[in-house]
Amino acid sequence: MHNKHQLIAHSYRDTSYQDLMRNRIHKVLLLCSRYDAFYLEDDGRIEEKIFDEYTSLNLSQPPEFIIHTNPETCYRKVRNENVDLVIIMYDMGDIDPFQLASTIKDEHPNLPIVVLTPFSREVNIFLHQSHKGVIDYVFSWLGNADLLLAIIKLIEDKMNADHDILKVGVQGILLVEDSIRFYSSYLPNLYKIIFQQSKEFMKEGLNLHQQMMKMRGRPKILLATTYEEAIELYERYKSNLLGVITDITYEIDGVKDKDAGLKLCESIKKDDPFMPVVMQSSESENRTRAEAIGAGFIDKNSTTLLQELREYVKKYFAFGDFIFMDPITNKEVGRAANLKELQKQVLTIPDETLAFHISGNNFSKWLYARAIFSLGRMFKTILPEDFNNISEVRQFLYDSFTYYRMHKSKGIIASFNKDYFDNYFNFARIGDASIGGKGRGLAFIDSMIKRNKIVDKWENITVSIPRTVVLSIDLFDEFMESNQLLQFAIHEKDDQRILQAFVKAPMSKQTREDLRAFVEVIKKPIAIRSSSMLEDSHYQPFAGVYSTYMIAYSENKNSMLVELEIAIKSVYASVYFYNSKQYIQATSNVIDEEKMAVVLQELCGSQYGNRFYPTLSGVARSINFYPIAPEKPNDGVINLAFGLGKYIVEGGQTLRFSPSYPEKILQLSSPEMALKETQKTFFSLNMDTSAFYADTNDSMNILHSPIEEAVDDGTLKWLTSTYDYQSQSLMEGTMSEGKMLLTFSGILKYNKLPLAEIIKEILEISQREMNKPVEIEFAVNISQNSNEPSVLNLLQIRPTVSNSEEISEDLSTIPNEELLISSTMALGNGVIKDLYDVVFVNHDNFDSAKNDHIATLIDELNQTMVAQKRNYILIGPGRWGSSDSWLGIPVKWSHISAARLIIETALDNYMIDPSQGTHFFQNLTSFKVGYFTINEPHKLGFIDWESLSKMEIIFKNQYITHVKSAKPLTVLLDAKLGIGVVK
């Protein structure tokens, strides 16, 4: 067994690698909300990623995360334990990170403190001006766990640079960038490339020792934010630098210098003409200057900025597989790129090769490097002599892989395995990367339900999420790269051409096999939902921007698989549709940075003939922006509808009520109002599989039917009342004579199902655990079988924005003559200044039949305003953003992205209740756009139309008018009183 002893000897040599990375982050104190903690631990799997790096280097202890939500306990923990790093989420309500940091630094001046803040120019300016001497680093936080890994490695690299680079020869990369926004994007990408490179270096080693030496010698990143820091780092480590990545404009001697990067490059090239340097700038004319001195150049305005950076850096890095070696000839006999291939190879490689790799602990190390820790720890103790023969070894390894792949990520998010996926899997992921915002929210809901023990809390109803499988973002990356679709999708303007290109592009064989396994198990229709990295995040709201498709259940699994693939590719394509690109531009994001995961969910509901739908669907918010006494804002609000929830999010006529007062419903306050304001139609899925096809319209197989068509289904039993024409009153239940109305009285009045109680508690729990106001989507299927419980599925959770800016002035006391506009039903809080432009729909001779045309006109005007970087006030009748053009102007966000205040008005013959149940509405509130409701016929607010008519007319036609004020207009919003004014 000479080879066995040889490998043991090599493993003993690994102990010498302890000389590298001697200073490490062992304990990280994280001050954040419970929601952020959940994401980092379960979706982002930050500890596994750090484990991957540390254990692949054979280090004994990975960093431990200590999570707190209270600054006092945080401070006590720092005092009482050996904390190596403090990370503070800036979005922690009233907590002042600088005060906390100052207190900690007084006693621990060398303790690194990092602040994470959502991307906001104002916040970042404030942080940049305030953190010096107190905060070591400030990073822009978009919810990507890779950033935390990058922060830890950046600090460790700084602590170990002198020893590892100067004494051992570890290589470095110098990054010079003073923009928080950009270095927060660069660092995770650079570290990802470096980690991939370090794994691939194993192929270059002639033996195990050399392979591990290269693994431990991964390049370090050195960050500088000023010219002086850059020169100092370069001079100190220049003998071991792989290259330099530098911005062009940053400080020299405390003053911004637009040529700082060029000066640095000239200095470096003079010293070392062969040193690779890539420069980035938002001024494209710098390309010529950079190339003239032998530097590469990347335009910061490029839509593929990060891709270009990755491509440049990848020239110095490679990627690697597990290489099976013949121990005698030292030749390759096989390779595996992933765990699945490794499992297959175990059954076929020669006996001596298997024994060689077991004896050398190669399996364990390769698994550790990929964060597969349980198998890695187990295999570390395995030797061939522990078994009767090599066949037993093979079977043990194969069975271990099988068991791991089946039980990996048990609990919150299970790993999908096509060979073992069955009905016991409630939430599984295909792929290893992030599951996106929507997927993350679903996993959080699932954990919240279990943690708070509300699955079976209420009699005869089960609270859960639907059976869900998420295709993580690495499958999206693989699809885009293998089909070379990125550049085409970014530059193509025709949505239909984009869709067709995506639908024609093949998915990987592995993905198709996994999808087939999923389809074989599922016994219901499937909803295919977007779950992008930016979607549903607190400061980057992408709700409803991308497509959601539904496919019917079919016994023909081949046909169902084809439809599922088309739907997934269509969701991928929707990232690059016109409205999506406009939205990404409006949110100051880079489309290259957006990644798409896809959520596959069983639909909640039952089949009735050729229709499938749930009994109820709803959207609930923990904050009610339009409370009607005795309701309070914190009581929350629910929008309820019969059938598929698509009816709600697209602005249909729903029943709106507070969960604290389910019997107090404005829409049912009189029989006349009930006749006018209750739901008349509903959405269901067409179960005819031929109704689905590739289309940019994700509603092609959604049936829009009158409520009366559901009578024979038996689903309206507890939901309807009857308007009796003779007595002009509402009667409970469905009667042969009279008008049937959807009042949900059996649920809300007679408590057939304690829906209000359940949703109220879920909202309270959700808001408490997310540490901010929330919105949830849900569906209920009321069982018609007394032996089976009803089901309440929670479908989605997202944070909502509540602006905490205080208004010192009492808006209710301002005289009307000083105001241009006033509303007692206003959404938003704070001050919006320096508005000059007002765009309004002409109310004289208004015709709702022209609403589609008006939306097109407003889109054209908005594009002009965006190009000119001007904001405006938008006024119009009805419900903005409704998909039903009879209820209001059917605009999308991209059509009105430059509006800072949006006002919906009522006319004598056109009064539509405001809606809080649409994705459109969610996005408006998230962007902190003011939103007024004014009903002048009922004397609820006013608009000084005479003053508007005297303003300069910029544009006017039959439908809309654009005027400009001679003086700046100021919007004041008081959320506590629900008052908004324009002065």
Side-chain angles (χ1 to χ4, degrees):
M1 297 295 292
H2 173 73
N3 291 325
K4 169 188 171 184
H5 295 299
Q6 183 182 28
L7 287 174
I8 291 175
H10 281 310
S11 67
Y12 286 150
R13 293 178 190 176
D14 287 344
T15 57
S16 65
Y17 299 156
Q18 297 291 347
D19 290 338
L20 294 176
M21 299 293 290
R22 291 186 297 185
N23 301 307
R24 293 179 285 131
I25 302 295
H26 295 281
K27 193 169 290 187
V28 180
L29 183 60
L30 182 62
L31 182 62
C32 65
S33 71
R34 197 166 189 175
Y35 173 70
D36 288 322
F38 166 80
Y39 165 54
L40 296 173
E41 292 178 328
D42 292 87
D43 180 23
R45 295 179 296 166
I46 184 63
E47 287 192 301
E48 284 193 41
K49 291 183 179 180
I50 297 172
F51 243 120
D52 184 10
E53 169 69 355
Y54 274 72
T55 55
S56 68
L57 302 180
N58 203 30
L59 301 177
S60 58
Q61 290 292 329
E64 173 190 359
F65 277 78
I66 308 170
I67 299 171
H68 284 284
T69 59
N70 184 289
E72 294 182 2
T73 58
C74 171
Y75 179 64
R76 287 198 299 269
K77 185 68 70 172
V78 171
R79 296 190 66 183
N80 299 329
E81 296 192 24
N82 295 321
V83 173
D84 302 301
L85 171 63
V86 176
I87 298 177
I88 304 173
M89 297 288 189
Y90 187 79
D91 182 25
M92 286 293 296
D94 297 329
I95 296 174
D96 184 349
F98 303 107
Q99 182 178 354
L100 177 62
S102 296
T103 304
I104 293 173
K105 284 285 190 180
D106 286 342
E107 293 188 21
H108 306 276
N110 296 320
L111 177 62
I113 300 178
V114 171
V115 167
L116 302 182
T117 172
F119 177 56
S120 164
R121 182 176 180 275
E122 292 77 13
V123 170
N124 283 341
I125 289 175
F126 177 71
L127 287 170
H128 185 71
Q129 295 173 343
S130 307
H131 82 272
K132 292 183 178 178
V134 178
I135 305 297
D136 294 87
Y137 293 99
V138 178
F139 290 91
S140 175
W141 177 245
L142 291 177
N144 186 357
D146 287 343
L147 178 60
L148 284 192
L149 177 60
I151 291 169
I152 291 171
K153 304 318 294 181
L154 179 70
I155 294 173
E156 288 187 340
D157 285 356
K158 183 178 181 180
M159 294 190 297
N160 292 287
D162 278 0
H163 175 270
D164 293 1
I165 296 179
L166 299 180
K167 294 186 177 181
V168 181
V170 171
Q171 300 296 287
I173 296 174
L174 176 58
L175 172 63
V176 190
E177 176 61 69
D178 65 345
S179 166
I180 295 173
R181 172 71 175 86
F182 279 99
Y183 68 59
S184 298
S185 293
Y186 288 163
L187 285 170
N189 279 273
L190 288 173
Y191 274 113
K192 185 177 294 185
I193 296 168
I194 287 172
F195 294 153
Q196 292 169 341
Q197 178 212 35
S198 65
K199 295 172 185 176
E200 191 64 10
F201 270 163
M202 294 181 67
K203 292 197 304 187
E204 300 175 14
L206 298 178
N207 54 49
L208 182 62
H209 171 72
Q210 291 180 353
Q211 293 167 357
M212 292 306 300
M213 186 62 189
K214 289 181 180 294
M215 288 285 287
R216 294 191 58 81
R218 68 158 183 82
K220 300 182 184 301
I221 296 179
L222 310 166
L223 175 64
T225 59
T226 67
Y227 180 84
E228 289 78 13
E229 290 177 359
I231 287 293
E232 180 182 356
L233 289 172
Y234 173 75
E235 290 295 334
R236 188 170 187 81
Y237 304 114
K238 62 183 180 181
S239 296
N240 292 294
L241 285 181
L242 286 174
V244 179
I245 303 169
T246 179
D247 192 11
I248 292 183
T249 301
Y250 43 86
E251 290 183 359
I252 298 180
D253 294 328
V255 179
K256 284 276 188 181
D257 190 318
K258 64 180 182 179
D259 294 326
L262 294 165
K263 294 174 182 176
L264 175 66
C265 184
E266 289 172 349
S267 177
I268 292 173
K269 288 294 184 180
K270 182 178 181 181
D271 181 59
D272 182 359
F274 301 102
M275 176 66 67
V277 179
V278 61
M279 310 182 75
Q280 354 105 38
S281 172
S282 56
E283 298 176 6
S284 57
E285 58 268 22
N286 282 322
R287 179 184 298 276
T288 303
R289 302 174 67 189
E291 292 174 350
I293 56 177
F297 182 82
I298 299 175
D299 191 337
K300 280 189 173 181
N301 296 314
S302 171
T303 56
T304 57
L305 171 65
L306 295 178
Q307 180 184 354
E308 291 176 48
L309 178 65
R310 288 194 298 268
E311 290 174 352
Y312 182 89
V313 175
K314 281 180 181 179
K315 292 180 181 180
Y316 305 97
F317 302 88
F319 301 89
D321 302 332
F322 187 99
I323 310 298
F324 289 98
M325 305 295 294
D326 184 298
I328 305 300
T329 64
N330 203 32
K331 292 183 178 180
E332 176 184 335
V333 297
R335 63 172 57 214
N338 51 51
L339 188 60
K340 180 178 176 63
E341 292 178 6
L342 187 65
Q343 182 181 14
K344 289 182 177 180
Q345 290 276 2
V346 161
L347 295 178
T348 59
I349 59 172
D351 290 351
E352 60 273 16
T353 297
L354 182 60
F356 172 82
H357 287 296
I358 292 176
S359 299
N361 204 26
N362 297 51
F363 288 113
S364 175
K365 292 168 184 172
W366 189 86
L367 293 166
Y368 267 130
R370 285 152 180 79
I372 307 174
F373 309 118
S374 58
L375 285 180
R377 284 190 290 269
M378 178 166 46
F379 289 173
K380 194 171 185 178
T381 63
I382 299 302
L383 293 173
E385 53 263 36
D386 295 332
F387 300 86
N388 293 325
N389 52 58
I390 199 68
S391 295
E392 283 190 6
V393 177
R394 290 186 192 280
Q395 194 60 49
F396 173 80
L397 291 174
Y398 186 84
D399 291 345
S400 297
F401 286 132
T402 298
Y403 181 86
Y404 174 79
R405 295 180 68 199
M406 180 174 63
H407 293 281
K408 186 172 86 171
S409 301
K410 258 189 172 294
I412 303 302
I413 306 173
S415 178
F416 186 91
N417 184 296
K418 72 180 185 64
D419 296 322
Y420 294 94
F421 180 74
D422 56 30
N423 290 325
Y424 295 100
F425 282 76
N426 196 46
F427 195 109
R429 71 194 300 159
I430 300 176
D432 298 315
S434 171
I435 57 176
K438 198 172 295 181
R440 183 166 64 246
L442 273 165
F444 179 72
I445 295 173
D446 196 26
S447 71
M448 184 183 72
I449 290 171
K450 296 173 184 176
R451 184 166 52 251
N452 290 278
K453 301 177 180 179
I454 59 174
V455 177
D456 300 310
K457 181 174 182 177
W458 292 273
E459 188 176 359
N460 296 325
I461 185 167
T462 299
V463 179
S464 68
I465 65 169
R467 181 174 292 115
T468 301
V469 169
V470 183
L471 279 63
S472 60
I473 63 172
D474 50 346
L475 273 67
F476 172 78
D477 286 337
E478 177 189 53
F479 178 78
M480 296 296 293
E481 290 174 9
S482 63
N483 293 292
Q484 299 181 345
L485 286 168
L486 182 61
Q487 291 303 316
F488 163 77
I490 288 175
H491 296 104
E492 177 57 52
K493 297 181 180 180
D494 185 276
D495 289 353
Q496 193 63 39
R497 289 192 62 191
I498 292 172
L499 178 65
Q500 292 304 318
F502 274 65
V503 169
K504 289 179 182 178
M507 303 187 84
S508 72
K509 180 181 178 182
Q510 178 66 53
T511 302
R512 295 190 80 250
E513 290 177 353
D514 288 338
L515 293 177
R516 178 175 290 280
F518 171 72
V519 168
E520 291 290 343
V521 171
I522 294 299
K523 300 300 181 184
K524 287 187 174 184
I526 305 170
I528 300 90
R529 306 179 188 274
S530 61
S531 181
S532 79
M533 287 294 291
L534 298 175
E535 198 165 11
D536 291 352
S537 66
H538 190 38
Y539 282 87
Q540 301 289 340
F542 275 57
V545 174
Y546 305 126
S547 300
T548 293
Y549 293 86
M550 299 181 189
I551 62 172
Y553 172 75
S554 173
E555 293 291 342
N556 185 336
K557 300 301 182 180
N558 289 329
S559 173
M560 198 171 178
L561 178 61
V562 169
E563 291 188 1
L564 179 60
E565 287 188 43
I566 290 174
I568 292 170
K569 295 173 187 176
S570 299
V571 171
Y572 283 167
S574 70
V575 174
Y576 304 98
F577 287 170
Y578 171 77
N579 284 328
S580 303
K581 290 174 181 174
Q582 291 292 103
Y583 197 93
I584 287 174
Q585 181 181 359
T587 55
S588 300
N589 283 287
V590 180
I591 195 167
D592 181 43
E593 197 169 287
E594 178 67 303
K595 306 289 184 183
M596 178 63 74
V598 176
V599 174
L600 311 179
Q601 278 183 326
E602 278 189 339
L603 275 184
C604 177
S606 299
Q607 184 171 351
Y608 308 94
N610 72 324
R611 290 191 298 263
F612 187 99
Y613 60 89
T615 317
L616 308 171
S617 294
V619 174
R621 285 194 180 88
S622 60
I623 295 293
N624 182 3
F625 294 117
Y626 293 98
I628 302 172
E631 299 169 0
K632 299 179 180 63
N634 289 336
D635 288 334
V637 64
I638 299 173
N639 286 79
L640 198 63
F642 174 73
L644 290 175
K646 191 177 185 70
Y647 180 86
I648 302 174
V649 298
E650 291 195 357
Q653 187 70 269
T654 62
L655 197 73
R656 175 188 175 278
F657 64 94
S658 167
S660 296
Y661 304 94
E663 297 182 33
K664 182 182 179 298
I665 302 173
L666 178 64
Q667 292 155 271
L668 306 179
S669 58
S670 70
E672 293 75 20
M673 186 170 288
L675 273 171
K676 181 181 178 182
E677 300 295 336
T678 53
Q679 184 179 353
K680 307 296 190 301
T681 61
F682 72 105
F683 284 173
S684 63
L685 177 65
N686 189 342
M687 294 297 283
D688 183 351
T689 57
S690 65
F692 177 83
Y693 51 89
D695 201 306
T696 56
N697 173 21
D698 57 9
S699 300
M700 88 291 289
N701 59 344
I702 302 300
L703 298 173
H704 193 182
S705 311
I707 292 295
E708 290 75 15
E709 289 192 12
V711 171
D712 292 338
D713 298 341
T715 51
L716 297 172
K717 181 179 178 182
W718 297 96
L719 310 182
T720 60
S721 301
T722 302
Y723 178 76
D724 181 53
Y725 288 101
Q726 290 186 347
S727 64
Q728 296 185 345
S729 61
L730 287 178
M731 312 292 289
E732 300 303 332
T734 303
M735 302 178 185
S736 58
E737 295 183 1
K739 174 68 174 177
M740 184 180 67
L741 302 179
L742 263 178
T743 62
F744 303 93
S745 58
I747 303 295
L748 303 179
K749 188 175 181 180
Y750 297 103
N751 213 33
K752 160 66 178 174
L753 188 77
L755 180 67
E757 175 188 341
I758 296 172
I759 298 301
K760 181 179 180 181
E761 182 161 341
I762 290 172
L763 285 174
E764 290 172 352
I765 293 170
S766 301
Q767 178 162 310
R768 181 174 68 247
E769 295 209 353
M770 292 188 76
N771 201 32
K772 52 179 70 75
V774 298
E775 177 184 271
I776 62 173
E777 295 181 18
F778 62 90
V780 179
N781 202 46
I782 299 178
S783 175
Q784 299 188 37
N785 185 341
S786 59
N787 295 323
E788 294 181 2
S790 299
V791 175
L792 189 154
N793 278 165
L794 297 177
L795 308 176
Q796 199 169 331
I797 188 170
R798 66 172 71 90
T800 59
V801 174
S802 179
N803 194 335
S804 60
E805 184 179 356
E806 295 293 334
I807 297 293
S808 58
E809 188 175 7
D810 185 351
L811 303 185
S812 63
T813 63
I814 302 176
N816 288 348
E817 54 268 22
E818 296 181 13
L819 301 176
L820 178 67
I821 302 171
S822 177
S823 172
T824 55
M825 294 181 67
L827 165 63
N829 197 71
V831 181
I832 304 172
K833 298 180 179 179
D834 299 327
L835 297 177
Y836 289 86
D837 296 271
V838 181
V839 177
F840 57 87
V841 177
N842 300 331
H843 54 276
D844 296 336
N845 301 318
F846 172 76
D847 182 359
S848 59
K850 304 296 184 182
N851 281 351
D852 283 312
H853 179 61
I854 294 173
T856 301
L857 293 175
I858 291 175
D859 180 22
E860 293 172 355
L861 188 147
N862 184 76
Q863 291 182 42
T864 301
M865 300 294 275
V866 169
Q868 296 176 359
K869 296 182 179 181
R870 292 160 61 190
N871 297 116
Y872 60 93
I873 297 171
L874 179 63
I875 306 172
R879 186 179 298 166
W880 286 105
S882 173
S883 61
D884 185 346
S885 62
W886 295 102
L887 297 179
I889 315 297
V891 292
K892 296 183 181 297
W893 168 250
S894 58
H895 300 159
I896 57 171
S897 58
R900 294 301 309 279
L901 172 62
I902 297 174
I903 301 173
E904 57 180 34
T905 62
L907 305 177
D908 288 327
N909 59 349
Y910 193 74
M911 297 187 188
I912 308 295
D913 280 346
S915 169
Q916 296 187 52
T918 65
H919 284 316
F920 175 79
F921 195 90
Q922 158 71 10
N923 291 327
L924 289 173
T925 61
S926 298
F927 280 111
K928 301 178 184 178
V929 175
Y931 204 84
F932 289 6
T933 298
I934 296 175
N935 189 326
E936 291 185 291
H938 288 174
K939 301 188 184 303
L940 299 175
F942 70 87
I943 298 173
D944 186 347
W945 294 103
E946 183 178 351
S947 294
L948 280 177
S949 67
K950 294 178 181 178
M951 293 181 183
E952 178 188 357
I953 297 176
I954 306 300
F955 172 83
K956 183 175 183 178
N957 66 9
Q958 180 182 351
Y959 305 105
I960 63 173
T961 300
H962 173 196
V963 297
K964 185 175 182 180
S965 173
K967 64 176 184 177
L969 302 174
T970 300
V971 181
L972 303 173
L973 302 110
D974 189 330
K976 293 180 179 178
L977 298 177
I979 297 176
V981 300
V982 179
K983 300 176 66 175

